[in-house]
Amino acid sequence: MNSLFGYPVCKEEYMQKLQGMVSQKPAFVVSTTYCPYCNKAKSLLNRYGIQHEEMMLDELEGME
């Protein structure tokens, strides 16, 4: 398990997936389906045609 400042972040499989996703697109958004700020950021990326990848935290299984 990876940690951030001593706190567990997520399972190793998610960290590997995240690292692969970040390296493939110019922008990466980690968000939830209900976050208005995340939705606004994704809307702006779409409006300006910026390719991006996103990870929806509330849709992941097994997050700790």
Side-chain angles (χ1 to χ4, degrees), residues 17-18 21-22 25 27-33 38-39 41-43 45-46 51-60:
K17 181 178 179 178
L18 177 63
M21 294 167 79
V22 168
K25 304 280 181 170
F28 187 79
V29 180
V30 178
S31 65
T32 61
T33 55
C38 300
N39 292 331
K42 291 182 286 186
S43 176
L45 290 169
N46 289 330
Q51 291 184 348
H52 64 280
E53 188 71 49
E54 65 183 85
M55 178 179 282
M56 304 298 274
L57 296 177
D58 57 330
E59 294 179 351
L60 293 177

Side-chain angles (χ1 to χ4, degrees), residues 13-27:
E13 65 184 283
Y14 288 123
M15 283 302 296
Q16 290 175 0
K17 181 178 179 178
L18 177 63
Q19 289 170 345
M21 294 167 79
V22 168
S23 67
Q24 294 176 7
K25 304 280 181 170

